[in-house]
Amino acid sequence: MMKNKIYTLIFALLNCVAAHAQYHFYFNDNIPVLVNGDTLALPWAGGFNCPQFSSIDLNGDGIKDLFVFDRDANKVITFINQGTANKVSYRYAPEYQRKFPQDMQEWALLADYNCDGKADLYTYDIKYGGGGVSLFRNDYNSTDGLQFTLIKSTIHTLWDTLHPNLYVSPINLPTMVDMDGDGDIDILSFANLGNIIQLHQNMSMDYFGTCDSINFKTQLTCWGNCGTNGSLNCFQLGLSCRLDPYDSTARMKHTGGCLLALELTGDNAKEMIVGDISSSTVDGLYNNGTNLAANIISQDCHYPQSDTPVYIHNFPACFYVDVNNDGIRDLICAPNSAGNSENTHGCWYYKNMANESIPDFKFQTTSFLQDQMIEVGQNSMPVFFDYDHDGLMDLIIGNYGYYDTTGNYRSSLSLFKNIGTATHPAYNLITKDFANIESLVLNQGVYPTFGDIDGDGKPDMISSDTSGYLMFFKDTAATGFPVAYDAPVRLYQNIHVDQYATPQLIDVNRDGLLDLVIGNRGGKLSYYKNTGTATVPHFDSITANFGGVNVRQYSTGYSQPFMFDSAGSYKLMVGSERGRIYYYNNIDGNLTGNFHLVDSIFNVNTMNEFDGTRVTVFGADIDGDGKMDIITGNQLGGVNLYVTTDYLGTHDRSNVQPYVSVFPNPSANELSIKVIGNNLTISSIQVMDILGQEVRKATNMATSSTMTLDSSHLTNGVYFGKVVLNTYQTVVVKIVIQH
């Protein structure tokens, strides 16, 4: 029987992995992605849902970079500030993500607690679990780089005669700021089960004359003489409230709120911007008292009224960071409600047009940094698939859905066409509604797989949804033309697994017919054998515990299979809810047994061991080097791309992998290339356009780690720089020219 042509996950993978080699995957941001004619600056950064923003110098160059913690996936996301004056200019830098504690949850914010000029880490106290704060000290040094040391797993405070934990609900966001002007960092948060704001004053300078101690005292009156007003965003003003440490029932219950203390009126007294869990707007509270004896006398319930007010559908939170390199902090507001928030246009950026004493916030965008990423809402599942038969791997991304203002999610498939070459891929967004999925009004969770299952030589599509049933889409296009899918056959062959099915078409038993392996919410895999013919498929359930695979973490696992042929032997990667990719072998000849778990990370994301929750995985050789590359999806709706590096033996290349930076990037008339690493210098650089044609070549006569190129003659667009080092290693970098 002639073997069906496979257009699914193992397309172009046969014999691409040498049996004797080990493989590591390294993040790659050199492959350009275009949307509406514009080249994205951060296409592979992985998306945002509920981001929290702080400033930190990640690489010790004296420039404040950007730290993001997304509470929807408990994921750290780091960006290097390229330092372009008066411009938002960041490079996604996942190599710093693993430097932060890997088990953080709910919230994470940065502030310099010990006055050493380095931003320290405050985060939710997962050890105590009852609403507390943990503190990690930033111990950056030139030898080891960024690293954090746990100082306090649970910060306590003096409250009357008691010493309870300093309370911050896992739902709320506190604000860390020097309220009394003595140099140490104080904390303001909502009281336990209450609607009023507590000031926890740091007494380190008062007691010891230094900043580096943790000695908090809770002021026993509510800050600002105000409190939240039930279901309304506006506060109650003019309250006279004393915090009773023995009676938490005397105060109005309050579920959640986010605080940001800053100056708004130039009187050296902090005001407050507050987002409430029951509101879509934020409230500006104006203080005519002092920082310690605050008195809120007026408010702007739809802040800022001087410009477009913040309107984020559910539970907004605001952050104060300089993102455009003008030395003045700007305002960023984003959702704080995990799993129930705007997930593509949820980062509102207001540029500060004045100063930090009397800021003037002017609205810029609802999708700060998000509009520079591949972003498909929530729970992305990318697959490579040649939809137009030109021999290049295109990119299809399924999702759980885009959040809308009704609280529902609209599922769809996004198509990015490969407009590059066999060795230099580049992707262009064609549509966010491939195969008209959105108009079908399906259950959420559309995850596709492709293959010719009816023997007509054209790739069909099988997709899933949250119900656990499958749909069949037949390709009705003429042979050789881009696919065109007919209306789906729903409840296809009555195949049903646990919720959130993630199917893969692959010839499991090597009989020439494509079978189905399906992941699900429970964390196991189901195997459906194709017992039909080459033209009339029929899938029979063989087992719901294929290979003994079970990636369940607690009650759920969200398994997603990627099975592929490696030099004639099947291997299996499985994405999971916990964010790890599980790698199995011992599959051939063992279809009824338990597969061997080789690794629970599989060397993917060498620079960052965690891609966020609900990770999905797919592989293909997209750059023509004969090695499989990896793309992952995640709960935040973005994607991360990794290329393969092979080596023999046990030497860990991750320790010597060179890093090459380009700055400024985008560049106008001149750009610099710098290699970072001991005894590394640049020998030469070759600049090529996206078609692989050389446009510039230069040798570094200075034998140094930095090389400067004249880029004034290059036209606007995306280029690749092939950088050759003195160690004969080659690193390819992306260069953007913008005059």
Side-chain angles (χ1 to χ4, degrees):
M1 180 183 298
M2 181 176 293
K3 194 175 187 70
N4 289 328
K5 186 176 182 181
I6 299 174
Y7 290 83
T8 184
L9 302 179
I10 62 168
F11 191 99
L13 296 183
L14 296 180
N15 300 316
C16 74
V17 181
H20 62 275
Q22 292 177 296
Y23 279 78
H24 280 203
F25 297 88
Y26 293 89
F27 175 74
N28 186 326
D29 66 349
N30 296 319
I31 295 176
V33 176
L34 284 75
V35 174
N36 297 325
D38 295 326
T39 301
L40 301 184
L42 310 164
W44 312 106
F48 289 157
N49 280 354
C50 300
Q52 303 162 6
F53 298 89
S54 299
S55 294
I56 182 175
D57 184 359
L58 295 169
N59 57 359
D61 64 355
I63 300 174
K64 293 294 185 183
D65 306 304
L66 194 62
F67 166 86
V68 180
F69 181 78
D70 198 301
R71 77 178 308 155
D72 197 27
N74 292 319
K75 179 183 178 182
V76 172
I77 310 167
T78 49
F79 299 88
I80 289 293
N81 188 345
Q82 298 182 110
T84 306
N86 301 304
K87 187 174 182 179
V88 176
S89 179
Y90 289 102
R91 172 182 64 83
Y92 177 50
E95 62 266 31
Y96 296 98
Q97 293 171 186
R98 69 186 304 176
K99 301 286 188 177
F100 290 84
Q102 294 296 301
D103 56 353
M104 293 188 295
Q105 297 177 14
E106 306 300 346
W107 61 267
L109 297 169
L110 303 179
D112 179 11
Y113 93 93
N114 59 351
C115 304
D116 66 352
K118 295 179 285 192
D120 306 298
L121 173 65
Y122 296 81
T123 186
Y124 178 65
D125 180 4
I126 60 174
K127 180 180 179 182
Y128 177 76
V133 180
S134 295
L135 173 62
F136 293 81
R137 186 180 63 220
N138 181 347
D139 286 330
Y140 181 94
N141 62 76
S142 59
T143 301
D144 302 313
L146 188 67
Q147 55 185 351
F148 287 90
T149 302
L150 178 64
I151 299 301
K152 289 281 187 180
S153 61
T154 303
I155 293 179
H156 290 84
T157 182
L158 175 62
W159 189 358
D160 200 9
T161 59
L162 305 176
H163 286 84
N165 61 296
L166 193 159
Y167 181 78
V168 177
S169 161
I171 298 173
N172 295 343
L173 279 183
T175 184
M176 286 78 172
V177 65
D178 179 11
M179 293 296 289
D180 52 8
D182 62 357
D184 53 25
I185 295 295
D186 310 300
I187 298 177
L188 293 100
S189 65
F190 277 102
N192 188 359
L193 298 178
N195 66 322
I196 54 180
I197 300 172
Q198 290 179 305
L199 169 60
H200 306 282
Q201 187 178 0
N202 192 345
M203 307 302 291
S204 177
M205 289 294 295
D206 302 79
Y207 293 161
F208 308 109
T210 64
C211 301
D212 58 2
S213 297
I214 307 299
N215 288 272
F216 283 95
K217 177 182 179 181
T218 300
Q219 298 298 321
L220 295 181
T221 57
C222 60
W223 186 88
N225 302 317
C226 61
T228 58
N229 189 18
S231 61
L232 301 176
N233 183 49
C234 290
F235 266 54
Q236 301 177 77
L237 307 183
L239 299 182
S240 178
C241 48
R242 182 183 187 279
L243 301 182
D244 186 347
Y246 305 102
D247 182 13
S248 64
T249 64
R251 301 184 297 275
M252 181 186 298
K253 298 296 187 293
H254 177 246
T255 307
C258 303
L259 302 177
L260 174 64
L262 73 171
E263 283 194 46
L264 295 177
T265 59
D267 61 357
N268 293 317
K270 295 287 193 297
E271 275 74 39
M272 193 75 73
I273 295 176
V274 185
D276 192 89
I277 196 170
S278 60
S279 179
S280 299
T281 61
V282 297
D283 193 1
L285 304 178
Y286 293 92
N287 177 16
N288 79 335
T290 66
N291 286 332
L292 296 183
N295 184 38
I296 302 302
I297 60 167
S298 64
Q299 60 185 316
D300 176 355
C301 299
H302 296 83
Y303 186 84
Q305 286 190 353
S306 61
D307 203 82
T308 304
V310 175
Y311 190 89
I312 294 171
H313 189 250
N314 199 11
F315 200 6
C318 294
F319 309 91
Y320 201 29
V321 290
D322 175 18
V323 298
N324 65 335
N325 294 300
D326 63 357
I328 304 169
R329 284 179 289 181
D330 309 292
L331 188 69
I332 307 291
C333 299
N336 193 50
S337 180
N340 185 28
S341 60
E342 167 59 58
N343 52 29
T344 57
H345 293 82
C347 296
W348 290 49
Y349 164 36
Y350 291 81
K351 181 180 178 181
N352 189 345
M353 307 297 290
N355 53 59
E356 294 187 10
S357 295
I358 309 177
D360 180 19
F361 296 123
K362 296 299 183 184
F363 171 76
Q364 305 294 311
T365 180
T366 62
S367 51
F368 173 69
L369 298 188
Q370 283 180 302
D371 59 5
Q372 296 301 310
M373 304 177 186
I374 294 177
E375 171 66 272
V376 299
Q378 184 161 316
N379 296 350
S380 54
M381 179 176 165
V383 298
F384 290 116
F385 165 59
D386 184 6
Y387 92 104
D388 55 358
H389 313 296
D390 64 355
L392 302 178
M393 280 295 174
D394 308 299
L395 177 60
I396 309 285
I397 309 177
N399 68 357
Y400 178 79
Y402 299 98
Y403 185 84
D404 63 30
T405 55
T406 67
N408 296 317
Y409 290 82
R410 299 173 288 103
S411 297
S412 68
L413 297 177
S414 295
L415 166 63
F416 292 81
K417 175 179 169 57
N418 189 342
I419 60 173
T421 68
T423 56
H424 292 86
Y427 292 95
N428 180 42
L429 176 65
I430 302 300
T431 178
K432 287 190 173 183
D433 193 21
F434 178 66
N436 299 312
I437 293 293
E438 187 172 336
S439 64
L440 298 175
V441 193
L442 306 172
N443 290 329
Q444 290 89 1
V446 177
Y447 306 122
T449 183
F450 300 92
D452 178 16
I453 64 173
D454 56 9
D456 63 358
K458 295 181 291 185
D460 308 301
M461 178 172 72
I462 289 178
S463 187
S464 61
D465 60 30
T466 55
S467 70
Y469 287 96
L470 302 183
M471 294 169 288
F472 171 69
F473 296 77
K474 180 174 174 57
D475 182 9
T476 59
T479 301
F481 282 76
V483 296
Y485 290 118
D486 209 348
V489 176
R490 303 187 188 228
L491 305 180
Y492 180 60
Q493 295 195 17
N494 207 35
I495 297 171
H496 182 258
V497 300
D498 192 9
Q499 296 175 344
Y500 293 87
T502 53
Q504 177 188 1
L505 282 166
I506 183 170
D507 184 4
V508 173
N509 60 350
R510 300 185 185 272
D511 65 353
L513 301 177
L514 293 179
D515 309 298
L516 276 167
V517 179
I518 311 173
N520 58 64
R521 182 175 181 267
K524 297 183 180 181
L525 301 180
S526 296
Y527 168 35
Y528 282 77
K529 179 182 177 181
N530 188 346
T531 59
T533 67
T535 57
V536 182
H538 182 79
F539 297 97
D540 284 334
S541 175
I542 301 301
T543 178
N545 189 28
F546 186 47
V549 172
N550 189 349
V551 298
R552 182 175 60 198
Q553 183 176 13
Y554 300 112
S555 61
T556 55
Y558 292 97
S559 56
Q560 178 266 321
F562 169 50
M563 194 171 175
F564 61 98
D565 189 298
S566 170
S569 176
Y570 275 139
K571 304 293 188 294
L572 173 68
M573 298 185 197
V574 182
S576 70
E577 179 178 26
R578 69 184 302 183
R580 293 181 180 270
I581 295 172
Y582 295 79
Y583 173 51
Y584 298 84
N585 62 14
N586 189 30
I587 298 171
D588 294 273
N590 188 34
L591 298 182
T592 60
N594 291 333
F595 304 152
H596 175 235
L597 176 62
V598 179
D599 199 345
S600 61
I601 301 177
F602 188 51
N603 294 326
V604 175
N605 213 358
T606 301
M607 293 181 293
N608 173 35
E609 296 178 355
F610 182 61
D611 258 344
T613 52
R614 299 285 295 275
V615 73
T616 62
V617 59
F618 182 90
D621 178 11
I622 64 172
D623 54 10
D625 64 355
K627 303 165 189 173
M628 183 173 68
D629 307 303
I630 290 293
I631 191 168
T632 62
N634 60 67
Q635 185 161 322
L636 303 183
V639 293
N640 298 115
L641 182 65
Y642 304 91
V643 298
T644 309
T645 301
D646 64 316
Y647 64 93
L648 296 176
T650 59
H651 178 56
D652 185 0
R653 275 187 66 158
S654 64
N655 291 329
V656 297
Q657 182 74 1
Y659 170 67
V660 174
S661 65
V662 179
F663 55 94
N665 200 15
S667 170
N669 299 315
E670 186 178 82
L671 60 89
S672 296
I673 301 94
K674 179 179 178 63
V675 59
I676 298 173
N678 292 333
N679 302 316
L680 291 179
T681 61
I682 297 174
S683 298
S684 65
I685 180 170
Q686 178 186 21
V687 180
M688 298 168 288
D689 61 22
I690 63 173
L691 299 179
Q693 298 176 323
E694 180 182 305
V695 296
R696 181 85 160 83
K697 188 173 183 179
T699 301
N700 190 12
M701 303 303 294
T703 315
S704 67
S705 62
T706 302
M707 187 172 179
T708 301
L709 283 180
D710 177 10
S711 57
S712 61
H713 70 289
L714 298 177
T715 59
N716 289 348
V718 176
Y719 298 83
F720 299 97
K722 185 177 180 181
V723 182
V724 179
L725 307 179
N726 61 316
T727 56
Y728 304 103
Q729 293 170 284
T730 299
V731 179
V732 178
V733 295
K734 181 176 68 176
I735 298 171
V736 180
I737 301 299
Q738 190 175 82
H739 296 291

